[in-house]
Amino acid sequence: MMTGDSGVNGSSSLRVVPSTLLAAEKEEAKAVLTLFLKKQGLSKGVAARTINKSDLFIDHLVSRLHSVHKSRYLVGRELTTLEIRDALTPYLESLLEEYGNVLVDLVENFPNAPPPAKQKAVAPVSPPVSTLDSKKLKAISRVSELDSSGDLRPQILYLIELGMDLEKIKLITRRFPAFSYYSLEGKIKPVVEFLLDLGIPKAQIPTILGKRPQLCGISLSENLIPTMTFLENLGVDKTQWAKVIQRFPAVLTYSRQKVKQTVDFLYEMGLSAESIGKVLTRCPNIISYSIEEKLRPTAEYFRSLGVDVSVLLQRCPQSLGCSIEANLKPVTEFFLERGFTVEEIGTMISRFGALYTFSLTENLIPKWEFFLTMDYDKSELVKFPQYFGYSLEERIKPRYARVKVHGVKLLLNQVLSLSGSNFENVLKKKIEKALSDGGHENGKLKKFGIGST
């Protein structure tokens, strides 16, 4: 069994993350796991009972989340719902491939993982485990095979030169056994060189192949390039391909029919052809969402709040990937409980689409509590909901302290949205006006380094 934060049988320390954030992330992990189990054929009731027995496995998922996004936590940035889902879903898929029809046993009995081939099936979630194991073990063994000269296979050496280590290649092969059979000259190298020619940094190639090894199995001339042309004709910015692929490597592996379904939905929502191109460029993973299970229900929920979905999609397409139950409804209830009307909430979302992608416990609640100490009516948040997008410690508190100490009043958006120099200029003019009106003593300006006129 693997151990540590990369394996199924271990869990890294969660102590460095605030308890409130941990609690929120656990709820997000439960939502991801519930949706995943239901997609494997489990009923809502069975999935719920499994989740109730899976506390240790949920802790393991959160631990893995911290490992995958270690750099984000080091700089104090919290993850959005979409980032949590995108980090955990591929991992759950890899476990499904490894444990097959005993995945539910693994979830409920973690960390005591069952032997894949010997447990009674709980749900028909995959092909026979013995078949998967046989193919997988053979594929993984190819990764480490040496030739007559004692060297690894050329494609393995090439991948190592790109920045992958042997364990990473084995992990990819465990998830996608065909990867070990791709030839160097016929499959892997042409795709890698193609990605480099698009402007993708060499250091990013291992990450891209790790997320979507299937790219190496797709013909450049018959599939990848025609798919790119198809997407460019839909409005995807051809100069942004490097960023698009780094955001969502799977974008080029979806069928044109699936892409067209998403495009048709966006037209249905009222977007123009130009706007659709921009949405696909900024948020290519929207193609992966189910129209009927994800996009349409989420769009209807936002409409129930009075939001113009076409505007929301143009400003923050990621918001349509949020879970209604785990994310959207709790945030709506949060604002309703604090006296905002449904109409005001709809206005706030329309003005700041990212509002619903933030954590309640780590973002909205602490910033609301600080807002209550500021000299503003809550109507200011309706006018400027972007308040919730600024750092509490690095922007909101220091800027407001500067205004408060001088005893002047600025609009909330002036306090936060202006650049440093513009903020100081506006503050200085406000103080000078207060002085000319007799509202301040002249000495206060000098005390804070602002000369009087």
Side-chain angles (χ1 to χ4, degrees):
M1 284 291 178
M2 297 177 289
T3 59
D5 52 31
S6 64
V8 171
N9 214 25
S11 177
S12 64
S13 172
L14 305 178
R15 291 175 297 174
V16 297
V17 181
S19 59
T20 52
L21 178 56
L22 271 180
E25 289 176 339
K26 286 182 181 180
E27 290 305 311
E28 295 279 11
K30 287 181 181 179
V32 172
L33 180 58
T34 299
L35 180 61
F36 186 80
L37 292 175
K38 288 168 67 176
K39 284 186 175 180
Q40 310 318 314
L42 272 68
S43 68
K44 184 177 181 180
V46 173
R49 287 195 293 273
T50 299
I51 294 297
N52 289 337
K53 300 177 183 178
S54 64
D55 286 349
L56 292 177
F57 186 74
I58 294 298
D59 287 343
H60 170 67
L61 290 180
V62 174
S63 174
R64 182 171 182 81
L65 193 66
H66 298 165
S67 175
V68 172
H69 286 289
K70 187 180 299 181
S71 61
R72 293 286 298 273
Y73 288 94
L74 291 176
V75 298
R77 288 184 63 193
E78 63 186 80
L79 301 177
T80 66
T81 296
L82 298 182
E83 288 170 327
I84 291 173
R85 187 200 62 196
D86 290 344
L88 296 183
T89 300
Y91 177 60
L92 291 173
E93 289 173 345
S94 71
L95 292 183
L96 176 61
E97 288 190 16
E98 182 167 358
Y99 287 90
N101 60 357
V102 292
L103 176 63
V104 173
D105 277 352
L106 169 66
V107 172
E108 293 182 353
N109 298 302
F110 187 85
N112 300 313
K118 298 180 181 179
Q119 295 293 319
K120 182 180 178 182
V122 177
V125 293
S126 80
V129 178
S130 58
T131 303
L132 285 175
D133 280 353
S134 175
K135 291 181 179 179
K136 194 175 301 177
L137 290 173
K138 184 177 180 181
I140 293 172
S141 69
R142 284 176 58 85
V143 173
S144 303
E145 281 181 1
L146 303 178
D147 61 20
S148 58
S149 303
D151 295 324
L152 293 167
R153 292 175 182 273
Q155 59 265 51
I156 304 303
L157 292 174
Y158 180 77
L159 292 170
I160 290 173
E161 183 184 341
L162 280 175
M164 286 188 181
D165 59 43
L166 205 57
E167 289 306 311
K168 174 70 172 178
I169 299 171
K170 287 181 179 179
L171 182 62
I172 294 172
T173 303
R174 182 176 289 110
R175 287 173 30 233
F176 189 70
F179 188 63
S180 68
Y181 293 91
Y182 291 153
S183 69
L184 175 59
E185 298 299 332
K187 295 284 188 180
I188 297 175
K189 193 173 182 180
V191 170
V192 169
E193 291 180 346
F194 178 71
L195 295 176
L196 293 172
D197 287 343
L198 289 175
I200 295 173
K202 181 179 178 181
Q204 291 298 314
I205 300 296
T207 300
I208 290 172
L209 296 186
K211 289 181 177 178
R212 204 66 171 178
Q214 295 94 321
L215 279 169
C216 292
I218 299 176
S219 167
L220 278 173
S221 59
E222 296 179 11
N223 297 103
L224 288 184
I225 294 176
T227 297
M228 290 176 68
T229 302
F230 177 69
L231 288 166
E232 287 171 6
N233 290 337
L234 292 173
V236 172
D237 187 347
K238 64 175 64 179
T239 68
Q240 298 294 311
W241 271 118
K243 291 182 179 179
V244 170
I245 293 173
Q246 287 179 83
R247 286 172 186 150
F248 189 55
V251 65
L252 297 180
T253 64
Y254 282 95
S255 69
R256 296 181 196 180
Q257 180 182 4
K258 179 69 173 78
V259 175
K260 187 176 183 303
Q261 289 174 350
T262 302
V263 170
D264 288 344
F265 172 80
L266 295 176
Y267 274 124
E268 182 187 333
M269 292 297 104
L271 270 67
S272 65
E274 181 182 2
S275 295
I276 289 173
K278 291 179 179 178
V279 168
L280 295 177
T281 302
R282 288 178 52 205
C283 185
N285 53 311
I286 197 171
I287 296 171
S288 68
Y289 301 151
S290 165
I291 304 296
E292 300 305 325
E293 294 181 12
K294 169 63 71 175
L295 294 180
R296 195 178 303 283
T298 308
E300 289 303 320
Y301 181 82
F302 279 119
R303 278 178 173 163
S304 73
L305 299 175
V307 176
D308 185 331
V309 175
S310 66
V311 174
L312 180 62
L313 278 165
Q314 293 175 70
R315 293 181 177 176
C316 186
Q318 297 90 336
S319 59
L320 262 73
C322 294
S323 164
I324 294 176
E325 296 299 326
N327 187 262
L328 303 186
K329 286 185 177 180
V331 172
T332 300
E333 289 301 317
F334 169 80
F335 285 114
L336 288 174
E337 289 169 0
R338 281 149 186 81
F340 292 89
T341 66
V342 171
E343 291 74 18
E344 288 173 330
I345 295 171
T347 299
M348 292 166 71
I349 302 168
S350 298
R351 290 176 175 169
F352 187 49
L355 183 64
Y356 271 47
T357 67
F358 293 119
S359 164
L360 260 178
T361 54
E362 288 300 304
N363 187 306
L364 301 183
I365 291 175
K367 288 177 183 176
W368 167 259
E369 290 176 347
F370 183 75
F371 179 81
L372 294 177
T373 70
M374 304 169 77
D375 298 326
Y376 294 106
D377 185 87
K378 66 184 180 66
S379 61
E380 283 293 306
L381 291 178
V382 179
K383 298 174 185 175
F384 189 68
Q386 291 86 346
Y387 165 84
F388 291 102
Y390 291 96
S391 168
L392 183 59
E393 299 299 329
E394 297 179 11
R395 186 82 157 195
I396 298 174
K397 287 183 177 180
R399 286 279 183 96
Y400 184 66
R402 290 275 292 134
V403 174
K404 187 72 173 176
V405 78
H406 290 297
V408 295
K409 185 89 171 181
L410 294 178
L411 296 175
L412 188 59
N413 70 331
Q414 291 178 311
V415 175
L416 298 176
S417 66
L418 298 175
S419 67
S421 59
N422 286 340
F423 169 71
E424 293 298 333
N425 288 337
V426 170
L427 181 59
K428 180 178 178 180
K429 290 179 181 178
K430 200 72 173 180
I431 295 170
E432 290 174 345
K433 185 176 187 304
L435 274 175
S436 66
D437 293 341
H440 279 64
E441 295 179 1
N442 191 49
K444 181 167 282 191
L445 285 174
K446 294 180 179 179
K447 176 181 178 181
F448 293 100
I450 300 177
S452 61
T453 56

